[in-house]
Amino acid sequence: VLTQSPGTLSLSPGERATLSCGASQSVTSNALAWYQQKPGQAPRLLINAASSRATGIPDRFSGSGSGTDFTLTISRLEPEDFAVYYCQQYGSSPITFGQGTRLEIK
Amino acid sequence: EVQLVESGGGLVQPGRSLRLSCVVSGITFDDYALHWVRQRPGKGLEWVSGISWNGGTIAYADSVKGRFTISRDNAKNSLFLQMNSLRAEDTALYYCVKDVNMIPYCGGPCYSGGLDYWGQGTLVTVSS
């Protein structure tokens, strides 16, 4: 089970966002990804292998962590970053997603 | 340009069956694992099933095991999901998704992964 916190995060553009994802057991090979989903759109892969940015993802997005505790950090929020974020483990079956963190404009 | 186009969704009665299809273009189809991920209205993402590049490794979420069957036809660049004994809780938008890797989950050491291309989804509504 992946548990994301907080459920909702209210911040202003330019601020730093820190999103957490906790696993009930160690994630195999730190096989953890982060996704961004905006209303009416399919999710977009941001980070894989816990800390590697996917192709085309701005460097204000960074991932860290290992084992059971992972973090997605957005260094300086842009208006387009306000969305729902999901973590996902793909190290073992069944693959699981966290319940999501909604990042909203304060 | 990578494209995944789903079809086959619709309104179906509880207990009936439905078959989803996904045609993929813009990639070497048999180099990658593929998945179905669903999203109930207003809810989060739920992984449903994944299949390796050659169909040799298949996995399902517990919620669909025994009712859903994933398959692929590499000659036709197509992914399928046969859904039987449908329930109201299967109502969702079903996404066809490409994996970064050839296998759907690591099961051991791996250095990359994740779901990098998504279709726009096909809506399945289970209701009487």
Side-chain angles (χ1 to χ4, degrees):
Chain A
V1 176
L2 297 180
T3 303
Q4 292 186 240
S5 61
T8 301
L9 185 58
S10 300
L11 294 170
S12 300
E15 290 193 294
R16 180 185 186 91
T18 302
L19 288 67
S20 296
C21 177
S24 57
Q25 57 192 58
S26 185
V27 175
T28 300
S29 198
N30 293 326
L32 188 110
W34 289 93
Y35 300 84
Q36 176 194 69
Q37 187 178 32
K38 297 179 180 179
Q41 296 184 16
R44 177 174 69 147
L45 177 65
L46 300 174
I47 301 286
N48 66 9
S51 59
S52 296
R53 269 189 302 277
T55 303
I57 301 304
D59 61 7
R60 65 180 182 272
F61 291 90
S62 63
S64 63
S66 65
T68 59
D69 295 301
F70 299 88
T71 301
L72 174 71
T73 301
I74 310 171
S75 58
R76 292 173 308 278
L77 285 165
E78 298 286 343
E80 62 267 27
D81 298 336
F82 292 90
V84 180
Y85 291 83
Y86 296 93
C87 60
Q88 175 225 7
Q89 72 81 20
Y90 53 90
S92 60
S93 181
I95 291 165
T96 48
F97 286 91
Q99 82 279 17
T101 289
R102 180 177 303 278
L103 179 56
E104 64 178 26
I105 299 177
K106 188 173 182 180
Chain B
E1 181 190 7
V2 180
Q3 286 193 312
L4 299 94
V5 180
E6 304 95 337
S7 61
L11 175 63
V12 61
Q13 293 179 328
R16 303 299 291 262
S17 299
L18 209 58
R19 180 177 169 88
L20 305 184
S21 300
C22 173
V23 176
V24 183
S25 59
I27 61 168
T28 302
F29 185 77
D30 55 5
D31 275 355
Y32 301 100
L34 295 165
H35 302 257
W36 291 98
V37 175
R38 69 185 180 186
Q39 189 166 34
R40 297 185 179 99
K43 302 299 184 183
L45 302 172
E46 181 187 13
W47 176 79
V48 172
S49 182
I51 185 168
S52 62
W53 67 281
N54 63 353
T57 299
I58 287 175
Y60 298 98
D62 289 344
S63 58
V64 307
K65 200 174 293 183
R67 300 187 299 125
F68 290 10
T69 302
I70 192 172
S71 61
R72 64 189 292 162
D73 184 339
N74 286 353
K76 296 183 178 179
N77 284 15
S78 295
L79 175 71
F80 306 99
L81 186 68
Q82 177 67 42
M83 304 186 295
N84 298 332
S85 303
L86 283 161
R87 306 168 180 167
E89 55 266 34
D90 295 318
T91 294
L93 185 65
Y94 284 73
Y95 291 104
C96 169
V97 193
K98 173 192 167 291
D99 199 305
V100 169
N101 290 327
M102 300 180 76
I103 54 174
Y105 57 92
C106 293
C110 69
Y111 306 101
S112 67
L115 308 176
D116 59 348
Y117 287 95
W118 297 62
Q120 285 305 301
T122 186
L123 183 62
V124 173
T125 303
V126 184
S127 174
S128 54

